[in-house]
Amino acid sequence: MDTIKLKDLTFKPYISKEEIATAVKNVAARINKDLADKNPLFLCVLNGAFVFAADLFREINIPDAEISFIRMKSYIGTHSTGEVHMISGLHEDISGRTVVIIEDIVDSGFTLIQLKEKLQECNPADIKVATLLFKPESLKYDVNIDYVALDIPPAFIVGYGLDYDELGRNLKDIYTIVQD
Ligand code: IMP
Ligand code: MG
């Protein structure tokens, strides 16, 4: 596989689609075991988690599993609002239910902690978190993550749903930035 260019940046292959598929199956197997007797609502955080959610959810064999989608935005224009907005919200009643947040990546943990706080207001029985990628060295907030497919160092990555300025989401493998 070759390097790719997205706008002004160059990226090189980092995690292959085969490696991703294995990691996704491992996470699904753990969730299938832990939540077998529940009626869990998987909550895919758009945009980045859409590819992971599609693959993960098809590996879930819990008969009463459901999926829904929310959209979060922490930046408006080029400025961080310092607050995460749910720009397309939750339509399901989650009170008393087990919710499984599906995230693409946890970096500082800010998005996740804000989302968990918002969901908590709706009185769910439990909130679990499944993330494709986790950058443990970047974590700044004390937030519990139940299921991590892959731990990575703090470099910027794209592919498999993750973007650089909205580009690269369609890449089947994950690429990391080439520093020059
Ligand atoms: P956090 O709120 O700092 O944990 O950042 C989470 C959000 O930042 C993710 O949902 C992504 O949208 C974005 N993000 C963080 N790291 C990367 C990366 O390496 N590539 C692409 N997007 C990223
Ligand atoms: Mg995201």
Side-chain angles (χ1 to χ4, degrees), residues 45 48 103-104:
V45 183
E103 259 290 18
D104 52 355

Side-chain angles (χ1 to χ4, degrees), residues 136-153:
E137 292 163 55
S138 303
L139 193 68
K140 291 194 185 76
Y141 297 86
D142 183 20
V143 60
N144 187 53
I145 308 167
D146 303 273
Y147 308 101
V148 176
L150 297 156
D151 278 334
I152 57 166

